[in-house]
Amino acid sequence: MSFQFYNSKSGKKEPFLPKDPNRVKIYSCGPTVYNFAHLGNIRSFLFVDILRRALLSEGYVLDQSMNITDIDDKIINASIEKKLSVEEITAPWTKSFFEDLESLNIQKLEHYPKATESIEDMVDLVHRLQNNGLVYEKDGSLYYSIQKFKGYGELSKIDVAGMKSGVRNDADEYEKDDVRDFVLWKNQKSDGEKSWDTDLGKGRPGWHLECSAMIRKVYGSGVDIHTGGIDLLFPHHENEHAQSQGAYPEEEFVTTWLHCEHLLVEGEKMSKSKGNFFTLRDILEKGYDKKQIRYLLISSHYRSKLNFSLAKLEEAKQTLERIQTTLFRVLEVLDYVYEKPAAVNIQTLKTKIENQKIVQALNEFETGFCDDLNLPKSLGSMFEFIKEINQSYDKNLWTGNDHLELVYYFLFVDSLLGVLSFEKEMQALSSEEENEINRLVEERGLAKKNKNFARADEIRNILSSRGIQLLDTKEGITQWKKVQ
Ligand code: AMP
Ligand code: ZN
């Protein structure tokens, strides 16, 4: 199926047509490693994971990077304040970033370039910009003259009317109403500051230069897709665009720009500076599990704001249980522990499904995410199908290969979601729980006898949400099993 993406640059949805489907180049702005990532940052990393998994499921071969910003204003300040080297500041946070990715079942990308290992590439880029007449020097630092670049503002649609010629911005981060020349190379201001002795002078790169240079370093060209949080659109991505396009005017820097909306807390962007953040560890320590967190953060559309709350995490748990209980029901009928293959070939899976209902459900799931990664649309179709799966099991309508094909359906779904379990995990029940289940099963039997089907269904749902599967035998006896 073909993809459509909402390109921030054109402001509309466009068909996705990578230059080479066997090497789709994708670059994502990664973490600044001076602290734990918070759940907002993690939302943007999970968005990259969904993009990856979606493209893989449609057969693209990916060459993907996420950079590690291991030098910027915040890191320098932390290093001066704590009297530690930049490496001592960044090493533990880089490690915790990778641990977070692993905890949340985020797939490994092909490259994780580090800014501090790409200084030569940054120097080269500045030389090109100098040759193209876009750079000037002031007090030993080098600045990009935005008025000299025709396309400035093109990406973020920033109002360039207030753009001030020759007025500079030294900070890595600044606001929209502060459109000024930005720094490419900052000269060293004090001995304690980390610096590199290059032919641009003794100093360090501006943050925006880092990403432009790392893209060039990894790909030797521009990329098909560039992603980041929406807060990066201006100035970071606008400046990247100005640098890369200014250095290589004959090439297209980025074909599709994708921006992920913010995670909010009580209506405000979750951010380190506001102090309104949770790290993954904070949430795990409160007893929530990784799958719940992953599910919550991927289940709304990446271009919608998402308000984070602990209540939403609870809801995510229940929703996940609904999916998992249905999957266990299928696995139970197969009556063996289905070993999930280490690397599921999604393309082959699709061809193995013959039951037209399952084929259609899978098509609907795909149609959702192929439309600008509309995972909520995919999930909506999945919940409809789950209802149908359960109803058909209640009526013994699935036969023959259907059970296995249903497992294939869930394997496909989980190639995106990354949260389901394909191994049965039996948990012992306490005698109180057993008594309570027996009582409900008995009450359901009576309700059915009295044609009170609403109550009977209600009881089935209560039990199913606890992972209890009912089997009504021909003899009129109801057996039950714990399937989760
Ligand atoms: P940083 O570590 O601050 O450089 O940010 C890493 C990534 O997280 C960037 O793509 C940011 O745009 C993104 N980000 C930061 N805060 C949030 C948030 N509250 N919601 C979603 N993404 C965010
Ligand atoms: Zn970046």
Side-chain angles (χ1 to χ4, degrees):
M1 235 174 244
S2 53
F3 278 91
Q4 293 226 77
F5 287 123
Y6 179 88
N7 187 348
S8 305
K9 190 169 173 192
S10 65
K12 54 180 195 244
K13 271 193 212 171
E14 295 169 353
F16 178 58
L17 301 163
K19 290 180 189 75
D20 178 1
N22 289 314
R23 189 186 177 205
V24 180
K25 301 171 183 173
I26 306 176
Y27 181 90
S28 300
C29 290
T32 307
V33 279
Y34 75 107
N35 205 330
F36 281 123
H38 58 62
L39 291 185
N41 304 131
I42 288 176
R43 182 185 191 198
S44 77
F45 307 147
L46 278 165
F47 153 64
V48 175
D49 191 51
I50 294 301
L51 172 66
R52 177 179 179 84
R53 287 165 176 261
L55 289 169
L56 287 176
S57 80
E58 297 303 307
Y60 289 105
V61 181
L62 308 182
D63 191 8
Q64 223 173 331
S65 320
M66 181 178 278
N67 74 294
I68 309 281
T69 300
D70 58 353
I71 184 85
D72 86 330
D73 289 350
K74 288 177 282 203
I75 295 170
I76 298 262
N77 291 342
S79 122
I80 293 170
E81 200 179 291
K82 296 192 172 135
K83 296 194 171 55
L84 293 172
S85 70
V86 159
E87 295 71 21
E88 282 167 327
I89 295 285
T90 57
W93 304 120
T94 309
K95 186 165 166 274
S96 72
F97 162 70
F98 284 110
E99 285 166 1
D100 287 354
L101 297 191
E102 203 175 325
S103 294
L104 291 171
N105 198 12
I106 292 177
Q107 291 188 357
K108 271 233 148 25
L109 306 184
E110 285 69 26
H111 317 272
Y112 292 98
K114 283 185 179 172
T116 55
E117 291 168 6
S118 315
I119 301 293
E120 264 180 46
D121 307 84
M122 296 177 206
V123 173
D124 281 353
L125 201 80
V126 175
H127 283 315
R128 277 196 161 255
L129 291 171
Q130 284 174 322
N131 290 339
N132 293 346
L134 294 163
V135 183
Y136 66 92
E137 188 242 306
K138 178 82 187 156
D139 299 332
S141 292
L142 299 174
Y143 296 87
Y144 189 107
S145 176
I146 56 174
Q147 274 205 331
K148 297 224 170 102
F149 177 67
K150 266 211 210 97
Y152 200 83
E154 220 169 57
L155 173 63
S156 62
K157 319 288 179 291
I158 188 107
D159 179 10
V160 290
M163 177 159 92
K164 299 179 190 86
S165 172
V167 184
R168 288 161 299 281
N169 225 319
D170 271 31
D172 283 335
E173 293 178 64
Y174 50 89
E175 298 299 320
K176 278 199 177 197
D177 48 12
D178 210 11
V179 192
R180 295 175 183 208
D181 293 343
F182 61 92
V183 72
L184 294 164
W185 190 259
K186 301 190 204 196
N187 74 336
Q188 193 192 30
K189 296 206 174 57
S190 69
D191 280 348
E193 260 183 32
K194 170 85 182 171
S195 66
W196 285 264
D197 212 351
T198 73
D199 56 14
L200 303 176
K202 194 166 187 206
R204 62 182 166 100
W207 171 39
H208 316 296
L209 182 66
E210 298 179 6
C211 287
S212 284
M214 283 185 270
I215 290 178
R216 198 76 208 170
K217 176 182 168 178
V218 174
Y219 300 105
S221 69
V223 289
D224 296 294
I225 300 179
H226 191 318
T227 85
I230 190 76
D231 54 322
L232 301 188
L233 186 52
F234 184 86
H236 186 51
H237 289 165
E238 189 68 58
N239 292 351
E240 269 189 48
H241 170 72
Q243 291 163 157
S244 297
Q245 221 54 85
Y248 297 92
E250 66 291 352
E251 290 177 22
E252 184 179 46
F253 173 44
V254 174
T255 312
T256 308
W257 285 91
L258 302 182
H259 288 98
C260 160
E261 255 299 347
H262 285 147
L263 184 69
L264 310 179
V265 185
E266 288 163 5
E268 280 208 75
K269 176 189 170 194
M270 181 180 284
S271 74
K272 279 167 201 158
S273 59
K274 289 202 182 93
N276 61 349
F277 65 89
F278 291 100
T279 65
L280 181 59
R281 283 156 182 83
D282 293 336
I283 298 292
L284 294 175
E285 272 166 24
K286 286 182 194 291
Y288 297 97
D289 84 12
K290 302 163 189 170
K291 290 183 173 180
Q292 240 174 306
I293 301 165
R294 179 176 166 98
Y295 185 80
L296 173 64
L297 295 179
I298 63 174
S299 58
S300 58
H301 191 246
Y302 77 95
R303 285 196 294 117
S304 306
K305 292 184 173 62
L306 170 62
N307 234 317
F308 177 79
S309 69
L310 297 180
K312 286 229 174 82
L313 269 180
E314 282 300 338
E315 277 170 35
K317 182 176 185 189
Q318 284 166 20
T319 312
L320 260 183
E321 274 176 8
R322 250 172 78 204
I323 315 172
Q324 188 65 63
T325 304
T326 306
L327 171 58
F328 277 139
R329 195 169 179 186
V330 182
L331 292 170
E332 192 65 21
V333 177
L334 279 173
D335 210 25
Y336 65 85
V337 179
Y338 184 83
E339 294 284 343
K340 187 176 171 184
V344 182
N345 184 332
I346 303 300
Q347 298 298 308
T348 342
L349 270 187
K350 282 196 275 188
T351 61
K352 286 185 182 166
I353 302 179
E354 285 173 5
N355 181 313
Q356 284 310 301
K357 272 193 182 149
I358 309 176
V359 169
Q360 195 194 329
L362 202 129
N363 278 338
E364 281 174 19
F365 189 83
E366 273 181 295
T367 308
F369 69 74
C370 286
D371 176 14
D372 193 28
L373 301 181
N374 196 336
L375 208 54
K377 198 159 139 193
S378 294
L379 290 172
S381 81
M382 179 195 69
F383 285 117
E384 282 298 312
F385 190 49
I386 278 184
K387 230 190 272 166
E388 191 177 339
I389 296 176
N390 284 313
Q391 283 165 356
S392 297
Y393 268 121
D394 292 345
K395 295 181 197 149
N396 284 324
L397 293 180
W398 297 115
T399 55
N401 255 346
D402 294 347
H403 311 295
L404 195 57
E405 292 185 6
L406 285 169
V407 175
Y408 294 159
Y409 170 81
F410 281 109
L411 277 171
F412 186 86
V413 164
D414 201 49
S415 72
L416 263 91
L417 301 189
V419 288
L420 297 179
S421 168
F422 288 78
E423 287 92 42
K424 284 182 271 181
E425 291 160 34
M426 300 296 185
Q427 273 168 17
L429 292 167
S430 68
S431 57
E432 285 91 353
E433 282 173 307
E434 274 196 26
N435 290 341
E436 158 82 336
I437 292 163
N438 284 330
R439 193 192 62 69
L440 283 168
V441 170
E442 218 170 284
E443 190 192 331
R444 177 172 168 269
L446 266 176
K448 275 174 70 176
K449 223 175 179 176
N450 297 330
K451 304 220 173 336
N452 183 355
F453 296 113
R455 176 64 183 153
D457 283 348
E458 190 180 36
I459 294 175
R460 179 187 276 283
N461 289 339
I462 295 172
L463 291 173
S464 155
S465 72
R466 293 190 201 168
I468 303 297
Q469 186 194 321
L470 300 180
L471 298 168
D472 292 323
T473 64
K474 286 194 194 98
E475 295 77 31
I477 300 166
T478 301
Q479 294 172 340
W480 61 264
K481 283 185 192 176
K482 173 93 177 149
V483 291
Q484 174 196 14

